[in-house]
Amino acid sequence: MPINILMPALSPTMEKGNLAKWLKKEGDKVRSGDVIAEIETDKATMEVEAVDEGTIAKILVPEGTQDVPVNNVIAVLAGDGEDVKSAASGGGAAKAEPRTDAKSEAGVVAGSGGATRSPDSSSSAPAPKPASSGAQAVSTPSANGHGRIFSSPLARRLAKEAGIELSRIDGSGPHGRVVARDVEQAKSGKGLKAPAAASAGAPSIAPAMSDKQILSLFEDGSYEIVPHDNMRRTIAQRLTASIQTIPHFYLTMDCDIGRLLAAREDINASAPKDKEKKPLYKLSVNDFVIKAMAIALQRVPNANVSWTEGGMLRHKHSDIGVAVAMPGGLITPIIRKAETKSLSAISSEMKDFAARARARKLKPEEYQGGTTAVSNLGMYGIKDFTAVINPPHATILAVGASEERAVVRGGKIEAAHIMSVTLSCDHRAVDGALGAELIGAFKTLIENPVMMMV
């Protein structure tokens, strides 16, 4: 029977992807391991490898298609000995509603480092559910306080991404079921009910403005609409969830980095040269920041944690995520076991990460996880700022610009190179005193860089 090739989930948070390019066309034979397509996620462009052998019978999603839901059928493969025309007409039945369970990942598993079949996958896609079985009743009261809201899994996900309550959406499906097209219309203000009145005694929260309300404030022709790509939507969703669910607090310290700047200059001047007489490395202030944060977490292990409802994860190593700006957003590649690496190794790894991040060539394992993060806006002249914690981290360090400031030493005013840093903490995992201990350990290390060498 025909083998359905599904849109793969390339990361735990991926819900949609762009089908950037087909590397095979209809009628082409493929073997297991052949690269058949390129998929753009919110963070990277990745290759999809075939798991099964056969012939591409039909391509259902043309290249260049954006926002293809995970587990939608993107192509049909005819197995060895199977009639291609028959496979093309018989495959693709599962594309009406993507399944939401883990076992629906079948046909291909993708990744820049190579694809393997998942334990739950098989050579053919699972039998599709009837359209009605995808609807579930959501226990949210409707505007009149009665009844239950029926919606498809895709509609629920789209509504969550858009920040729209299902109870405010008029459903056009069978028995008033909310489907994907209803959510898309609701985004522009069509078919959107007024929010339900708050119950007595409950705090009143003003609803977010709808797209229609915002557009009504501006004259037609005075703006252009730039559609959100997957990266921007994911950043918005994750950071909104972070600031709403994580109790942030902030600790700021000024660090005198005069010794660091002198050490950096000496180290770079004495760096070994390659055959073309170019330095093998050139350390940045950020390389010292990464190393200092890594060692600080080892000295204050109770702050090297991640919060889970079941218990605290206390990490053995300091895996430091470093925010890298890229077109349309940012990504946070991770220096693993940074406490064990030399400054030159950290510098080399970061240069490689930054180049591949901007080309969207990072592998998921290179930017997922980590135990904390560093965000440095000093190169833009920013003096100080606060950063939003990126789960599962419990902290993030915001680094400002180094600048000459007047300081008092021994009763005398002197000029010093001062860098302000702000530590954002998840109060569930890191209390005030513990956060102060961590940023204090960082300050000691960054002001005395020789301590990082031993």
Side-chain angles (χ1 to χ4, degrees):
M1 61 182 295
I3 300 169
N4 287 336
I5 299 176
L6 307 183
M7 185 68 168
L10 304 179
S11 73
T13 59
M14 176 177 167
E15 296 180 347
K16 296 180 183 179
N18 301 335
L19 209 159
K21 187 177 182 181
W22 280 107
L23 302 177
K24 297 288 185 180
K25 60 182 184 298
E26 291 181 358
D28 283 357
K29 292 187 176 296
V30 298
R31 294 178 296 178
S32 177
D34 284 353
V35 179
I36 60 174
E38 291 182 355
I39 303 294
E40 290 179 353
T41 71
D42 57 306
K43 300 290 187 184
T45 299
M46 305 182 71
E47 296 176 339
V48 176
E49 296 182 4
V51 173
D52 301 284
E53 298 188 355
T55 303
I56 300 288
K58 189 173 185 180
I59 291 175
L60 297 171
V61 177
E63 63 180 39
T65 303
Q66 297 189 348
D67 294 338
V68 182
V70 165
N71 296 329
N72 263 26
V73 182
I74 58 175
V76 178
L77 192 69
D80 286 340
E82 186 175 4
D83 181 70
V84 175
K85 289 185 179 179
S86 175
S89 60
K95 68 177 180 178
E97 278 280 10
R99 291 185 56 176
T100 57
D101 55 277
K103 292 185 179 180
S104 64
E105 294 184 19
V108 293
V109 180
S112 295
T116 57
R117 186 193 304 274
S118 67
D120 291 325
S121 69
S122 61
S123 60
S124 60
K129 298 179 181 178
S132 61
S133 70
Q136 295 185 11
V138 179
S139 300
T140 304
S142 58
N144 60 12
H146 302 285
R148 307 177 80 186
I149 301 164
F150 289 84
S151 61
S152 70
L154 179 58
R156 289 196 300 277
R157 187 164 69 238
L158 293 174
K160 182 179 179 182
E161 289 177 355
I164 302 174
E165 295 179 13
L166 282 170
S167 60
R168 298 186 59 202
I169 301 174
D170 281 321
S172 63
H175 308 292
R177 175 190 180 209
V178 177
V179 294
R181 64 173 176 270
D182 301 323
V183 180
E184 294 299 330
Q185 288 183 345
K187 288 181 182 179
S188 61
K190 297 178 181 177
L192 195 60
K193 305 171 187 174
S199 59
S204 177
I205 301 175
M209 295 178 70
S210 69
D211 285 7
K212 184 177 181 181
Q213 290 172 319
I214 294 172
L215 294 177
S216 69
L217 300 175
F218 303 97
E219 183 181 351
D220 288 344
S222 66
Y223 56 83
E224 61 175 330
I225 296 177
V226 181
H228 300 307
D229 61 13
N230 285 350
M231 173 178 286
R232 181 51 58 192
R233 288 187 184 278
T234 300
I235 290 172
Q237 183 179 355
R238 286 178 63 83
L239 295 188
T240 299
S242 173
I243 210 69
Q244 289 177 342
T245 61
I246 295 177
H248 286 60
F249 72 92
Y250 310 98
L251 303 169
T252 299
M253 273 191 170
D254 290 337
C255 303
D256 184 342
I257 62 169
R259 291 178 182 176
L260 183 153
L261 295 177
R264 172 176 175 262
E265 186 175 352
D266 289 343
I267 293 171
N268 287 340
S270 60
K273 309 289 193 299
D274 60 16
K275 293 179 180 179
E276 298 177 356
K277 302 251 177 117
K278 292 182 179 179
L280 291 178
Y281 56 80
K282 185 177 181 181
L283 302 184
S284 68
V285 171
N286 211 44
D287 298 328
F288 285 88
V289 169
I290 295 167
K291 180 74 171 181
M293 191 62 177
I295 298 176
L297 285 170
Q298 294 299 304
R299 294 187 176 183
V300 190
N302 287 339
N304 193 24
V305 294
S306 293
W307 171 270
T308 74
E309 295 299 330
M312 200 78 74
L313 304 184
R314 186 177 296 158
H315 304 288
K316 296 178 180 178
H317 294 287
S318 302
D319 298 334
I320 312 296
V322 185
V324 174
M326 56 189 294
L330 59 86
I331 194 169
T332 310
I334 299 164
I335 305 291
R336 306 281 178 183
K337 300 181 180 179
E339 80 279 8
T340 69
K341 295 179 178 176
S342 66
L343 287 163
S344 60
I346 290 173
S347 178
S348 176
E349 200 168 333
M350 271 311 306
K351 285 181 174 63
D352 173 60
F353 277 156
R356 290 193 291 118
R358 294 182 182 111
R360 298 199 176 199
K361 295 297 183 183
L362 288 179
K363 303 171 187 177
E365 61 267 25
E366 292 176 321
Y367 59 81
Q368 292 177 356
T371 65
T372 190
V374 169
S375 180
N376 191 336
L377 293 179
M379 67 286 293
Y380 298 103
I382 302 301
K383 180 183 175 183
D384 60 73
F385 67 104
T386 58
V388 180
I389 296 169
N390 187 26
H393 304 164
T395 56
I396 183 171
L397 187 71
V399 182
S402 164
E403 60 180 6
E404 279 196 297
R405 300 184 204 169
V407 299
V408 178
R409 289 177 178 156
K412 296 180 181 179
I413 297 177
E414 298 178 1
H417 288 277
I418 304 298
M419 180 178 74
S420 295
V421 296
T422 298
L423 184 70
S424 302
C425 301
D426 179 348
H427 214 320
R428 299 172 303 174
V430 177
D431 294 321
L434 183 60
E437 189 179 353
L438 176 60
I439 196 172
F442 172 85
K443 175 181 171 72
T444 298
L445 289 159
I446 208 73
E447 292 187 337
N448 301 278
V450 68
M451 299 174 68
M452 302 185 214
M453 316 297 179
V454 294

